[in-house]
Each structure stands twice: as C-alpha cells, then as structure tokens.
Amino acid sequence: FFYGFEYLGIGDRLVQTDLTDRCYLTLTQALHFRMGGNPFGPAGTGKTETVKALGAQLGRFVVVMNCDEAFDFGAMGRIFCGLCQVGAWGCFDEFNRLEERILSAVSQQILTIQRGLIARQKSIELLGQNIQLHENVGIFVTMNPGYAGRSNLPDNLKTLFRAVAMVKPDSK
C-alpha cells in the first residue's frame, strides 16, 4: 500500500495486541482484494478504533459515521459518492442498526463501487450520477451482533466484506 500523506495531527495510540494485528491483517487483505472490512463483536472491543488506527498508519482520511434508523438509501449513496471521489475510508459504525430493506439496497451501491475498483475504472455510476472513483476508497462496517434492534446482514451484503471477530481482552 502506498502512504496517503493525510496528516491529522498526533492522534491517540492504539495498544498493539495479537487481536489488533489479526484485525489489521484481515482488513488489509480485504483492501487488497477490493473488498470491505467488517470487524464485529461486543461494544468496547476496539472495532472502530482499529479501523481508524490502520487508516492513520497508512495516511488515509477515515470518516466515521454512526448509523441509525434515520439513514436511508439516498443518504448512504451521497456518503459513498463523497468517499469515492476523494479516496477516503468510510467506517460505518453499528451498521446493522440500519433496516434490512436499507441494507439490501445499500449492498447494490457497495457492489457497484467494488466492481469499479476491481475493474480499475476511473468512474462509476451512483445515484444516477457519473462520479470519479479513487483507487484508495475503502468501506468498513462495524457491528454489535445480538443486541436489541439490530438487523442481520443479508447474504448478498456479507459476501462484500471480509469479517473479523473482535473479543473483549482478558484483563485479569
């Protein structure tokens, strides 16, 4: 990976453990194969922080969005358009809080982006607009499975992401 030269100041440091190493490896493999990354696990396990730390180490601008029921197909599409044009990484926190019908529609947008990346296209069509596709764009979704009010990811969406399980550290 080429360093992106996005400088955001001196940020907080993430403790390097075997879990963060495994997560870094999984997420970089996902990026190499033009897929998305999906860290999942209970709250407080460092899913979002690990994505942000990896982005900082690679010099990438990481935009973190907390997903909730207010997100719709159009809002997600506009966010994807912006990410694609500047080559930023999008980290969609608690992605499975979106309704299943929205998740299914969003999967088509993500598939369009990933197919464009695989084919090394310079532009793609999203929301009826032709937009530039930067090769460094990355899409990550974090999830807390099993919590109340959370949807299951549709199978067509699961195939677009490389999943990595995050667990609470043994602090004893």
Side-chain angles (χ1 to χ4, degrees), residues 125-166:
E125 186 173 323
L126 274 181
L127 297 179
Q129 301 175 33
N130 198 30
I131 62 162
Q132 283 186 308
L133 180 60
H134 197 285
E135 64 181 1
N136 290 332
V137 67
I139 299 172
F140 302 90
V141 299
T142 68
M143 299 189 316
N144 300 331
Y147 285 71
R150 304 301 198 267
S151 303
N152 290 322
L153 283 189
D155 289 337
N156 63 339
L157 194 54
K158 285 181 186 175
T159 61
L160 303 178
F161 293 95
R162 179 75 56 95
V164 57
M166 305 288 280

Side-chain angles (χ1 to χ4, degrees), residues 12-25:
D12 295 333
R13 298 290 297 170
L14 185 68
V15 176
Q16 293 295 123
T17 64
D18 291 340
L19 178 61
T20 53
D21 288 344
R22 192 179 78 225
C23 188
Y24 283 170
L25 181 62

Side-chain angles (χ1 to χ4, degrees), residues 22-50:
R22 192 179 78 225
C23 188
Y24 283 170
L25 181 62
T26 303
L27 297 179
T28 53
Q29 285 175 340
L31 289 169
H32 176 74
F33 291 116
R34 308 294 192 217
M35 297 174 69
N38 173 17
F40 67 92
T45 53
K47 301 176 292 291
T48 304
E49 294 305 316
T50 304

Side-chain angles (χ1 to χ4, degrees), residues 97-148:
R97 286 180 63 188
L98 298 175
E99 297 176 25
E100 283 195 51
R101 64 184 178 84
I102 301 298
L103 289 173
S104 185
V106 165
S107 69
Q108 293 305 309
Q109 294 173 326
I110 296 171
L111 181 62
T112 301
I113 294 167
Q114 290 180 353
R115 283 183 176 163
L117 288 170
I118 290 168
R120 302 205 184 275
Q121 295 175 321
K122 296 293 182 194
S123 64
I124 57 171
E125 186 173 323
L126 274 181
L127 297 179
Q129 301 175 33
N130 198 30
I131 62 162
Q132 283 186 308
L133 180 60
H134 197 285
E135 64 181 1
N136 290 332
V137 67
I139 299 172
F140 302 90
V141 299
T142 68
M143 299 189 316
N144 300 331
Y147 285 71

